[in-house]
Amino acid sequence: MKLQFSEPKIFTGGVDLSKWSTLSKAEQQIALDKDWYIYYSFRDPQTNV
């Protein structure tokens, strides 16, 4: 059975979150000033696509 929803993902404007603590405060602020998005997909229950 296919899942109805994908796992939510975060687009961080090109910043690798696993390296966040190694960034300088200025680099962190630049990253925070960029747009961030959470995206996911889901299946249409009628067509299952």
Side-chain angles (χ1 to χ4, degrees), residues 4-43:
Q4 294 298 330
F5 297 89
S6 68
E7 182 176 331
K9 297 178 181 160
I10 300 174
F11 175 73
T12 60
V15 176
D16 185 359
L17 291 180
S18 66
K19 298 179 183 177
W20 183 260
S21 62
T22 64
L23 298 175
S24 70
K25 292 292 181 187
E27 290 172 320
Q28 290 177 351
Q29 188 58 49
I30 291 169
L32 290 173
D33 289 340
K34 293 182 180 181
D35 290 336
W36 289 39
Y37 301 94
I38 298 174
Y39 60 99
Y40 62 95
S41 61
F42 61 94
R43 296 187 182 282

